[in-house]
Amino acid sequence: MNKYKIKNICCIGAGYVGGPTMAVFAEHCKDIKITVSDINQSRINDWNNPDTNYLPIYEPDLDNLILKYRNKNLFFTTNIKDSIAEAEMIFLSVNTPTKEKGVGAGKASDLKWVEASARQIAEYAVGHTIVVEKSTLPVRTAKTIEKILFDSQKKENNNNKKNQTFSVLSNPEFLSEGSAINDLQNPDRVLIGGSDHIAIEALSDLYKNWVPNEKIIRTNIWSSELSKLTANAFLAQRISSINSISAICEATEADVRQVANAIGLDKRIGKEFLSAGPGFGGSCFQKDILNLVYLCEFYNLKEVAEYWEQVISLNNWQKDRISKLIVNTLFGTVSGKRIAVLGFSFKANTNDTRNSPSIKICKDLIEDGALLSIYDPKVSQSQIEKDLGIKCSDQFLESNSGTIYYERSIEKTAEDAHAILILTEWKEFFNINWDLLIEKMKRPAWIFDTRSIIKTNDAKKSGFNVWQIGNYCNSYL
Ligand code: NAD
Ligand code: UGA
């Protein structure tokens, strides 16, 4: 038991998962030194910035934890070598995006960052080290990690230098962005997979500082890896399901919110994750389903692969149909028309834009010649420029080729606009004063509410034509 006493933790990867997760560990494991290490110097500088407005990611309540524990028992560094060497437990929280080229391109996860981390651990670890997969990984990745570590262990032990031994566990993370701290503080469950039961209990003991034991599930390592992919696939499938129904609602005068409420009251279905929208975004749903599809194909399960692939096809179709609907509604073209875009992040309460449906929808409108004035409370101008592949213009010019403007308020975006397009459900978009806004706009003025958050009657009273996802209110057509 003693050989698994944890006094130092290292987390490799200071991203959306590594940073918040280790901040919560720091709060509940005060006698453990936690070091989050990353190869990205500027990211580490941001984590260490005394002004928490510059933290690399925005998450409600994250700044408080960082201020409380940074440089007490929580450290951010690029010194990966030392943080690995002193750790008895190492979390792998590196990125695992979809592979862009080579075998499996477009579907398989790119594991080069995981492999590189495993090799770093093999090089620098000393004594017994528990290596915990926190990243989302294809089933059987632990085999690759073990191969790298165990071969190193043999070599090192032959040279009798560092006395290396390893246990590998899977402990996938289920946090959602925007509510990461709350999710980490009050998880529905903690999943730990592995075969070394002492190592599993060493990790459970840390969680038990704040998570009741009955919420800590122990499984074999493959079930744990597969459960993470399956959870994301099921969640994404619900969104594609409700989005498919949103289209039927619009065609039949049903209201998708009423349908969602009616079906969600059935305990077997449940009410969460039934909000129709512009399609799911974020860094994980698409990549994890693609990964699942790749695995199915690898194991010759063609029908299963096709089944899950359809969740993504529907998601792409939803984004596509929204941009087409906007162009068609605005009399067949948006060329030279100013459109106020409210929200750019893939969901509220985060500055993350990875795979945001806003990117595809904005690109389609730019392609058609729209002038987009974009406002998001947390996403920076440079991020929007990077995602859309064009620079923001400073002056408002008459133009028929797609242009973007970065605005700092809802009111500014609306000036001379033909339409308001709501793409993210930020709180501040729920109760807009439509009377004031319409005064700044061209007529006829339109609202396209892809998140179903506004009170359509109020907007209509102010003189707007309103389209809302899954809601038959397009009587102007
Ligand atoms: P991220 O891109 O924000 O962060 C990953 C970090 O790892 C980067 O800062 C990168 O520089 C660093 N890194 C890569 N290789 C490294 C190396 N060899 N040594 C040190 N640092 C290295 O990614 P993320 O969003 O935090 O996701 C990480 C993993 O967690 C992914 O597998 C993802 O699927 C999974 N996940 C993400 C979320 C989420 O909400 N973002 C939730 C659950 C699970
Ligand atoms: C998702 C899962 O919810 C987490 O459990 C998981 O840990 C994480 O992926 C991951 O593995 O990365 P996240 O992507 O942060 O979390 O955010 P979600 O709340 O799941 O939203 C994903 C997308 O679906 C967003 O674009 C959101 O707007 C959309 N969504 C969500 C809907 O359109 N409707 C809904 O009812 C819910």
Side-chain angles (χ1 to χ4, degrees):
M1 194 66 146
N2 246 354
K3 78 173 174 177
Y4 291 159
K5 176 96 188 115
I6 312 298
K7 290 201 247 56
N8 298 279
I9 287 177
C10 162
C11 174
I12 305 183
Y16 283 84
V17 169
T21 307
M22 290 302 121
V24 171
F25 267 76
E27 174 157 80
H28 297 287
C29 307
K30 294 202 178 66
D31 49 352
I32 295 180
K33 179 182 172 194
I34 297 171
T35 308
V36 189
S37 59
D38 205 291
I39 39 177
N40 183 333
Q41 182 69 58
S42 85
R43 208 166 219 197
I44 291 298
N45 293 346
D46 290 343
W47 280 112
N48 283 323
N49 196 317
D51 182 349
T52 50
N53 286 318
Y54 293 98
L55 290 181
I57 63 174
Y58 171 74
E59 273 301 332
D61 296 333
L62 175 64
D63 49 354
N64 293 332
L65 288 177
I66 297 297
L67 284 174
K68 251 168 129 175
Y69 301 107
R70 187 174 52 195
N71 298 330
K72 299 211 170 63
N73 65 331
L74 178 65
F75 300 87
F76 294 92
T77 181
T78 50
N79 186 347
I80 296 169
K81 179 180 173 191
D82 288 353
S83 47
I84 290 176
E86 69 180 5
E88 296 88 24
M89 183 176 278
I90 300 176
F91 288 86
L92 290 180
S93 286
V94 298
N95 36 323
T96 52
T98 305
K99 226 175 149 183
E100 283 176 1
K101 51 184 183 195
V103 177
K107 281 191 184 150
S109 279
D110 194 337
L111 297 180
K112 72 170 172 241
W113 292 274
V114 173
E115 185 181 332
S117 306
R119 288 183 189 281
Q120 287 166 325
I121 296 172
E123 193 172 350
Y124 303 127
V126 178
H128 187 75
T129 311
I130 301 173
V131 177
V132 184
E133 298 174 343
K134 210 20 135 182
S135 299
T136 303
L137 299 169
V139 200
R140 303 199 73 80
T141 304
K143 260 262 158 309
T144 310
I145 297 173
E146 281 176 350
K147 176 84 185 136
I148 294 169
L149 298 179
F150 292 165
D151 277 14
S152 158
Q153 170 181 320
K154 270 189 235 148
K155 187 173 139 215
E156 283 298 330
N157 290 348
N158 285 343
N159 297 340
N160 204 14
K161 277 194 304 206
K162 297 182 196 143
N163 219 7
Q164 287 185 329
T165 49
F166 298 100
S167 312
V168 178
L169 301 179
S170 159
N171 172 222
E173 185 45 62
F174 295 102
L175 68 80
S176 293
E177 288 180 30
S179 56
I181 300 302
N182 187 44
D183 295 341
L184 287 160
Q185 298 278 24
N186 308 293
D188 288 347
R189 78 306 206 183
V190 164
L191 177 57
I192 305 177
S195 54
D196 178 344
H197 295 287
I198 304 178
I200 292 176
E201 290 318 309
L203 179 54
S204 308
D205 283 346
L206 302 184
Y207 277 111
K208 277 193 243 166
N209 286 323
W210 78 101
V211 180
N213 190 34
E214 36 318 340
K215 284 193 172 182
I216 304 175
I217 306 170
R218 288 96 167 154
T219 65
N220 78 35
I221 200 155
W222 318 124
S223 303
S224 174
E225 289 178 337
L226 185 57
S227 299
K228 173 63 196 178
L229 292 185
T230 309
N232 275 359
F234 270 56
L235 289 168
Q237 180 199 42
R238 268 173 88 88
I239 301 169
S240 280
S241 298
I242 200 69
N243 283 343
S244 74
I245 300 301
S246 74
I248 308 180
C249 287
E250 288 160 35
T252 58
E253 296 189 42
D255 179 337
V256 76
R257 288 176 304 182
Q258 293 177 357
V259 175
N261 182 47
I263 63 166
L265 287 171
D266 183 329
K267 282 202 278 301
R268 293 167 303 172
I269 296 174
K271 61 183 169 42
E272 302 293 329
F273 255 67
L274 286 179
S275 302
F280 56 77
S283 62
C284 294
F285 279 172
Q286 175 161 315
K287 96 167 157 63
D288 292 347
I289 294 180
L290 286 171
N291 190 352
L292 190 61
V293 167
Y294 182 73
L295 280 168
C296 296
E297 286 170 351
F298 180 83
Y299 290 107
N300 283 325
L301 300 167
K302 181 170 157 284
E303 286 75 9
V304 187
E306 283 170 1
Y307 174 78
W308 286 110
E309 210 155 21
Q310 195 54 31
V311 173
I312 294 180
S313 306
L314 199 291
N315 196 51
N316 290 335
W317 177 76
Q318 182 81 342
K319 293 181 262 191
D320 214 41
R321 86 176 179 93
I322 288 174
S323 36
K324 283 196 182 116
L325 182 139
I326 295 169
V327 174
N328 287 338
T329 307
L330 296 180
F331 312 114
T333 179
V334 289
S335 173
K337 293 178 184 163
R338 188 156 161 131
I339 298 177
V341 176
L342 300 187
F344 198 79
S345 56
F346 80 98
K347 62 186 278 196
N349 296 324
T350 176
N351 60 348
D352 195 351
T353 63
R354 289 178 291 180
N355 252 318
S356 175
S358 313
I359 299 174
K360 171 73 171 77
I361 294 170
C362 287
K363 277 188 171 169
D364 284 349
L365 297 174
I366 291 167
E367 177 75 22
D368 206 83
L371 317 177
L372 303 182
S373 46
I374 306 172
Y375 166 69
D376 186 290
K378 290 290 173 199
V379 181
S380 66
Q381 175 171 343
S382 60
Q383 187 59 51
I384 292 173
E385 289 176 338
K386 201 167 144 210
D387 289 333
L388 296 180
I390 49 172
K391 288 266 169 220
C392 288
S393 179
D394 304 335
Q395 301 158 320
F396 183 42
L397 302 168
E398 296 291 325
S399 164
N400 286 330
S401 60
T403 311
I404 58 169
Y405 306 89
Y406 184 74
E407 303 294 0
R408 289 174 202 282
S409 71
I410 300 172
E411 292 69 31
K412 260 321 245 164
T413 54
E415 277 172 20
D416 288 323
H418 290 251
I420 308 269
L421 168 58
I422 299 174
L423 288 175
T424 314
E425 74 288 18
W426 286 101
K427 262 259 149 16
E428 62 189 272
F429 304 154
F430 280 55
N431 289 307
I432 292 174
N433 184 333
W434 298 116
D435 283 343
L436 280 183
L437 223 57
I438 201 166
E439 286 313 313
K440 298 175 184 294
M441 296 178 61
K442 297 242 196 275
R443 306 295 175 94
W446 310 78
I447 297 173
F448 299 94
D449 175 11
T450 71
R451 294 285 183 170
S452 196
I453 56 172
I454 69 158
K455 295 187 190 85
T456 52
N457 283 342
D458 290 357
K460 281 184 191 166
K461 264 190 226 140
S462 306
F464 278 100
N465 300 283
V466 182
W467 174 86
Q468 190 171 48
I469 194 100
N471 183 0
Y472 185 86
C473 55
N474 42 355
S475 49
Y476 50 82
L477 289 176

